Amino acid sequence: MFKDIDKKYEGRTTYKTGEVARRSGVNKETVRYYEKRNLIPKPDRRRSGYRIFTQRHIDQIRFIKRAQELGFTLSEIKELLNLRMDNETTCAEIKKEAQEKYQDVTKKIEDLQRIKETLTDLIDSCSEDEPVGDCPILEVLEGENETGKQLRK
């Protein structure tokens, strides 16, 4: 088996985990985690037990990191990678994934804008001189909570 491994990688540049991590801009634990999540191809092993990584692994980790920067989750990235490896996949399918992510991001931005406005209103309603029992921010956070009402008395 190991002779076949040596032959398989003859003339190809291979890397250990630390070098893959450095070249990909992640740490070693991330490389191992991506391997465990099947986001990168399972590397072969040398007789010594060291994993054998190639440029393909580095490129795939960089792909994952760029996709994360665009807000894709690891599950979504796995789907994108599966689509990428399927010769039957069309650009329309990839576009659909991107459009779904765009809609998710748009919804999150709307939610964050609503939260921002609510916090602004709460901050503006607060008079710093009032005792904690009259704090409108605490009132909103506690709602109809009896314990909170008693604590503010």
Side-chain angles (χ1 to χ4, degrees):
M1 175 185 153
F2 290 111
K3 287 186 181 194
D4 293 337
I5 291 292
D6 292 340
K7 204 174 254 190
K8 179 179 179 179
Y9 293 99
E10 189 175 309
R12 293 177 65 191
T13 304
T14 60
Y15 307 95
K16 292 181 182 175
T17 307
E19 184 66 12
V20 169
R22 189 184 69 70
R23 288 175 178 260
S24 304
V26 299
N27 60 48
K28 289 191 243 183
E29 290 75 26
T30 300
V31 174
R32 291 183 191 109
Y33 182 71
Y34 288 171
E35 180 186 349
K36 188 186 304 185
R37 292 275 312 256
N38 296 313
L39 290 164
I40 60 174
K42 186 167 182 61
D44 292 325
R45 290 188 179 261
R46 297 194 185 283
R47 280 183 213 138
S48 62
Y50 285 109
R51 291 172 178 84
I52 304 171
F53 292 98
T54 63
Q55 186 62 44
R56 178 180 177 204
H57 292 96
I58 295 168
D59 293 342
Q60 199 147 332
I61 292 168
R62 288 177 179 163
F63 176 96
I64 293 165
K65 295 311 293 176
R66 285 191 299 271
Q68 283 182 311
E69 289 169 4
L70 290 174
F72 286 94
T73 65
L74 290 180
S75 296
E76 292 166 335
I77 293 168
K78 188 170 186 173
E79 176 63 24
L80 286 171
L81 289 167
N82 288 337
L83 288 170
R84 176 68 181 105
M85 299 308 291
D86 182 352
N87 291 331
E88 303 293 317
T89 299
T90 64
C91 190
E93 291 173 273
I94 303 297
K95 182 178 180 178
K96 181 179 178 260
E97 295 290 325
Q99 287 172 325
E100 288 175 6
K101 179 48 65 181
Y102 175 83
Q103 290 172 349
D104 290 346
V105 169
T106 300
K107 173 85 170 84
K108 286 179 185 176
I109 290 170
E110 290 169 358
D111 290 344
L112 288 170
Q113 188 62 40
R114 183 184 45 75
I115 291 168
K116 178 183 173 187
E117 290 169 7
T118 301
L119 284 170
T120 299
D121 291 345
L122 283 172
I123 290 166
D124 290 345
S125 72
C126 185
S127 171
E128 295 176 19
D129 298 333
E130 293 181 26
V132 73
D134 296 328
C135 181
I137 297 171
L138 290 177
E139 277 183 43
V140 169
L141 294 175
E142 292 165 349
E144 297 300 316
N145 182 328
E146 285 301 316
T147 304
K149 288 179 185 177
Q150 290 174 2
L151 287 172
R152 285 196 317 265
K153 288 183 179 180

